[in-house]
Amino acid sequence: MSTTTTGKVGIGQRMLDGIERVGNKLPEPFTLFLGLFLLTGAISTAMALADVSVSIPGSDETVAIKGLFTGEGLSWLTTTMGDNYIGFPPLATVLPILLAVGVAEKSGMLAAAVRIAFGSSPPWLLPYAVGFVGVVGSIMADSAFIIIPPLAALVFKAAGRHPMAGLIGGFAATGAGYSTSIVPTSLDALFAGITTSVMDTLPGTEYAAVNPVSNYYFNIAASIVLALIAGFIIDKLIEPNMIRKGVPREYANVGGKGLAKEYQAKDSPYSDQQAAADRRGAADETAADRRGVTSEESGSEESTDEEIQAHLEPEEKKGLIWSIVAALLLTAVLLFAFLIPNSPWRNDDGGFLPESPLLSSIVFIVFAYFMLMGVVYGFVVRTVRSMNDLVRMMSQSIIDMMSFLILAFILGQFIALFNWTGIGSWIAVAGADGLESIGLTGFAAVIGFMLLASLLNLFIVSGSSMWTLMAAVFVPLFAILGYEPAFIQAGFRVGDSATQVITPLNPYMIVLLGLVRRYEPNAGLGTIISRMFPFVIPFWLAWAALLAIWFFFDLPLGPGNGIFLK
């Protein structure tokens, strides 16, 4: 029995079709931000000619709006364009981390870790293993969408459970929980850089510096809670529903046309090379910047063109063991260096909070762990045989993120213009005054912000683009209301991920559709979206409730980062 999408179209499907139509009319991110850059320039020029200025609360400073299309503005642009690009803060944090993550991924270490997590789980625990691996899978960036769902289907089937439940659950957990992970990732570095850069619109405001671990405590709790919820939904709702509907457990014996044929494989989700090529073609255009950092399927041809099994070969297990040993040794070295009296990584008071060389070394620490574990694993399994292999893997990582490097050029110009003109300060002060005038300054305002992020996420699937756009306005606005930038960044994470698994603009929806059509040749996007919905609302509500706990109990979000400005 197969699910079909023919017949009368309901209101829900018409709504989703409308989202798809509107979203398809949006320009790609570079064009979108070029338009916003020019619009900001025109508005700032008009405000400068009208002698508009703004007084920064808590400061004696008055900021006069400066216009781009004036002599001063054009001179600023021509003399600072290079600095605006190179000085775009995420570049300094994302690039080093991506180099190391690229080695860990392309050596096979990350995929092996995912496979052993699945393969060692008993059948009753599999849904929760899928939930956990999916939620923290953003460590592999976009390749998580290609690796985790079909592997989950494979191990579900091997354990006598419904493979479709693993496939759907793996994708939902990966997508709806993308903005959090139990370990710092390049996404944390990306968000932190953007958050810090927009605070220049409020000169004189004292706030805790935002770095890749500013949301770390919150992320750990969110990862665990969302993983448990994902596992529960897979176990108690998705799999029983697949059984009740009679969804096939085996690949359909389809004919020679349609996606079902293109994605048909003999043994595993990865054994058909042509299918892998077709998948890459479907996702290439927008996948590289989907969450703002990576890749055209993260360049992992090894993951898509060859058969991947859930179990590990003895050599792969040996490689993982030695990489873990290396990580433990690195941990011992770092702890010794940081904890000894008079450590150079302590601050002037002999501690680490709220600021210290240790917190400024987070990018190095993350880089060191991923690079060391990737190199050790690769050396053991012989995917890294020489320095040339290491350089090749890092080079491929840069190639994978080329879309982001191009997009970063216009993002850097937009952020710099927003700061230089003073228009960001004006919007923040006016917006804060407006919220105060209607009494909407507490957690209700944060909820509204998260809802807006979830709505925009249906149309703007690039996390870097959306956070650049929203942070420029809302981080300074909420800072005026008394909230730390790191807290607003945490709120954005809630809205950023939960709804991305129900938007047709997510390029990996097409990849998932091809995998689903192996079992159900007549499945359509409506089939996929309807099976994603059970994850969206529970994820959003649980994540928001968790943030509310942090808010009302004033808990630290990460080392040195709280909720309220002091």
Side-chain angles (χ1 to χ4, degrees), residues 354-376:
E355 294 183 11
S356 67
L358 172 60
L359 292 184
S360 299
S361 302
I362 295 300
V363 171
F364 168 79
I365 293 171
V366 175
F367 174 91
Y369 272 105
F370 280 116
M371 181 64 73
L372 179 63
M373 294 180 72
V375 169
V376 170

Side-chain angles (χ1 to χ4, degrees), residues 270-273 276-277 280 300-307:
Y270 289 109
S271 61
D272 189 331
Q273 295 189 13
R280 283 195 296 274
S300 49
E301 286 87 355
E302 295 89 353
S303 294
T304 54
D305 289 348
E306 299 175 6
E307 181 177 345

Side-chain angles (χ1 to χ4, degrees), residues 28-30 32-33 36 88 190-191 194 289-292 404 407 410-411 414 460-471 492:
E28 50 83 29
F30 191 97
L32 175 65
F33 275 89
L36 288 172
F88 185 48
L190 174 68
F191 283 174
I194 294 172
D289 186 52
R290 192 194 150 287
R291 289 291 94 193
F404 170 69
L407 180 62
I410 194 62
L411 295 181
F414 174 75
I460 305 174
V461 294
S462 165
S464 62
S465 299
M466 192 163 79
W467 184 224
T468 299
L469 182 62
M470 297 192 73
F492 173 75

